[in-house]
Amino acid sequence: MADLQVFTGTIVHSTDLEPMQILENMAVGVLDNKIVFVEPASELPNLKTKFKIQDTKNITLTQSQFLMPGFVDTHIHAPQFPNNGIHLDLPLLDWLENYTFPTEAKFADGDFARYVYGAAVDRLLRCGTTTASYFGSLHLEGTKILGDTVLARGQRALVGKVNMLMNCPSYYQEASVEDSLRETEELIVYIKNLKSDLVLPIVTPRFAPTCPKEQMKGLAQLAAKHDCHIQSHICESRSEIDWVQELFPWSTSYADVYDTVGLLTDKTVMAHGVWLKDEEVALLKEHGTGVAHCPNSNISLRSGLCDVQRLLRAGLRIGLGTDCSGGYSPSILNSLRQALLVSKTLSTMTEGYESITLKEAFRFATLGGAKVVRMEDRIGNFEVGKEFDALLVDTEATGTPLDIFLEDKTEEKIEKFLYNGDDRNILRVYVAGKKVVDQTRRSSSVIP
Ligand code: GUN
Ligand code: FE
């Protein structure tokens, strides 16, 4: 059996009752992949007896450090990584055609896929994303490589082969409904055969405009057969919504299209939802479908200001998505900040509108995301019995952009990190109890 790891110091996480709970002088015990105790550090001697602890690995945090749950990115396109930070001059549909499809088409080349996916997963882990819900490209082999890459790097992930069969360029299009379903099933079986608790398949119709009804129905059946997650895009931009109405004239709404074909489930993640009508919100709620809020992308592609407060109040599960490369930043810290700014922008436009708080944005980034991908029984916060997906943050790590002063209280240090910190403050990243990133040398203080 592995040694028990005991972290002592400050922890911060979300619960259903409190968007941000800060606990100081705590001891968190981690055995193999799981959290076995979260108790005041003063209880440690008793805990050692209780758990018959002999060999422990003690990690004692300094006053500038804290432990928080890993970030969950509920919506990201791995093959769009080469485009992060470029090509944001066109709106969604033109952006897809001119920049995105040509880039994704390059993933027919396995070597290119290996090269980019390695860099992408490394970057995300460094940014503290311990769980990601990935869109791959439409290539079966390339998407298998994405699965292999996340497995090798130790990230927790949902991995999907993109499905698209109409209204896409001939050079980047699946061959037929039959081929699409066969390859998708092969990917599902391949990912399941990796036999990892951490990497799961996700059925990934790109969005309604690229998927004929028969294809979407078949994909929904595949998801049901294999008890899979599903992800797609919904109500992102106004021209996209008009197009969906033209393509599916029988439908009463965009959400109705997905509902009719059976794609709305309680394991479905729908990205954006900027322009959802009330009846569509109700449909998502009825099915238990979660929303990936992607504020950077929504602004960068000028899709719109998503009123996430409204979706939250309607009872939808909400997580954050970077939506790289529609959003230019791979960091969920950036999504968190943008979510706040969008919500505050909305509050300047509407009398009496209450914006979300920093603490709520923090919950979206962690526990909320875990709920969207339906992993809340395993990750999202530091409850005993959950798996230990965590970030060891140092607000005073060398060379980082935070100014911490002697007077700063713990809560203020945490807030400064959330607003101004970056990956250099994230000294260590743990997934399921295993250290997957270690840049301890950046610390101004020594930790074992
Ligand atoms: N809608 C369909 N495909 C995409 C995509 O790749 N990015 C975004 N942001 N929206 C989409
Ligand atoms: Fe997207």
Side-chain angles (χ1 to χ4, degrees), residues 74 229 266 268-269 290-292 317-319 367-374:
T74 60
H229 288 73
D266 64 0
T268 300
V269 182
V291 173
R317 271 184 281 274
I318 309 287
L367 185 60
K371 288 189 180 196
V372 166
V373 295
R374 285 287 174 171

Side-chain angles (χ1 to χ4, degrees), residues 213-239:
K213 191 175 174 187
E214 285 317 304
Q215 184 188 30
M216 289 194 280
K217 273 191 170 169
L219 290 168
Q221 283 162 5
L222 264 187
K225 176 177 168 191
H226 293 279
D227 189 23
C228 275
H229 288 73
I230 297 171
Q231 62 185 348
S232 194
H233 299 86
I234 195 167
C235 297
E236 180 175 357
S237 82
R238 280 188 282 198
S239 37

Side-chain angles (χ1 to χ4, degrees), residues 44-306:
L44 209 44
N46 302 334
L47 290 163
K48 287 196 171 182
T49 318
K50 185 172 162 199
F51 285 89
K52 298 191 177 60
I53 300 169
Q54 288 169 346
D55 300 321
T56 56
K57 188 169 186 305
N58 292 304
I59 297 114
T60 307
L61 276 59
T62 67
Q63 286 302 310
S64 65
Q65 298 172 345
F66 61 89
L67 214 53
M68 62 165 283
F71 291 124
V72 180
D73 189 338
T74 60
H75 183 84
I76 183 158
H77 299 262
Q80 294 176 23
F81 252 68
N83 288 351
N84 281 350
I86 51 174
H87 299 322
L88 291 171
D89 57 334
L90 293 175
L92 175 66
L93 301 176
D94 298 325
W95 171 84
L96 283 172
E97 196 172 318
N98 286 280
Y99 305 126
T100 308
F101 293 157
T103 299
E104 289 192 13
K106 294 185 190 169
F107 288 75
D109 175 350
D111 289 336
F112 186 69
R114 231 177 305 277
Y115 161 61
V116 174
Y117 289 155
V121 176
D122 283 347
R123 168 67 60 199
L124 292 176
L125 283 172
R126 273 227 308 279
C127 290
T129 298
T130 48
T131 301
S133 191
Y134 286 109
F135 280 59
S137 62
L138 61 67
H139 311 100
L140 174 60
E141 291 309 316
T143 309
K144 287 181 181 174
I145 290 168
L146 178 57
D148 296 343
T149 306
V150 288
L151 181 71
R153 301 295 206 273
Q155 193 181 38
R156 194 184 297 277
L158 294 161
V159 176
K161 183 197 110 61
V162 161
N163 302 107
M164 45 194 287
L165 196 50
M166 62 179 193
N167 299 312
C168 35
S170 55
Y171 66 83
Y172 192 54
Q173 184 177 29
E174 290 173 304
S176 64
V177 173
E178 295 69 37
D179 275 29
S180 165
L181 298 180
R182 186 178 42 73
E183 292 200 340
T184 303
E185 187 158 34
E186 192 177 329
L187 194 267
I188 292 170
V189 171
Y190 181 84
I191 300 286
K192 288 198 168 186
N193 279 341
L194 294 175
K195 301 261 183 275
S196 163
D197 277 350
L198 301 182
V199 187
L200 299 173
I202 183 163
V203 170
T204 307
R206 180 163 213 124
F207 65 157
T210 57
C211 300
K213 191 175 174 187
E214 285 317 304
Q215 184 188 30
M216 289 194 280
K217 273 191 170 169
L219 290 168
Q221 283 162 5
L222 264 187
K225 176 177 168 191
H226 293 279
D227 189 23
C228 275
H229 288 73
I230 297 171
Q231 62 185 348
S232 194
H233 299 86
I234 195 167
C235 297
E236 180 175 357
S237 82
R238 280 188 282 198
S239 37
E240 171 209 18
I241 294 166
D242 293 344
W243 198 22
V244 168
Q245 193 53 57
E246 275 170 40
L247 292 166
F248 303 90
W250 47 265
S251 68
T252 56
S253 67
Y254 200 155
D256 178 51
V257 174
Y258 288 142
D259 186 28
T260 303
V261 297
L263 284 170
L264 297 183
T265 73
D266 64 0
K267 286 172 79 173
T268 300
V269 182
M270 280 292 164
H272 304 284
V274 180
W275 301 100
L276 285 168
K277 294 182 285 200
D278 286 347
E279 62 266 31
E280 295 181 283
V281 174
L283 257 185
L284 298 193
K285 164 84 175 136
E286 187 187 313
H287 288 284
T289 295
V291 173
H293 178 40
C294 306
N296 187 318
S297 169
N298 293 340
I299 304 297
S300 292
L301 297 178
R302 287 163 287 153
S303 302
L305 299 170
C306 181

Side-chain angles (χ1 to χ4, degrees), residues 20 30 32 65 80 90 141 162 167 178 200 226 250 286 309 332 345 381-382 384 398 413 445-446:
M20 185 186 282
V30 178
D32 294 322
Q65 298 172 345
Q80 294 176 23
L90 293 175
E141 291 309 316
V162 161
N167 299 312
E178 295 69 37
L200 299 173
H226 293 279
W250 47 265
E286 187 187 313
Q309 182 72 283
I332 285 291
T345 302
N381 63 9
F382 294 133
V384 172
T398 310
K413 291 180 190 175
S445 39
V446 180

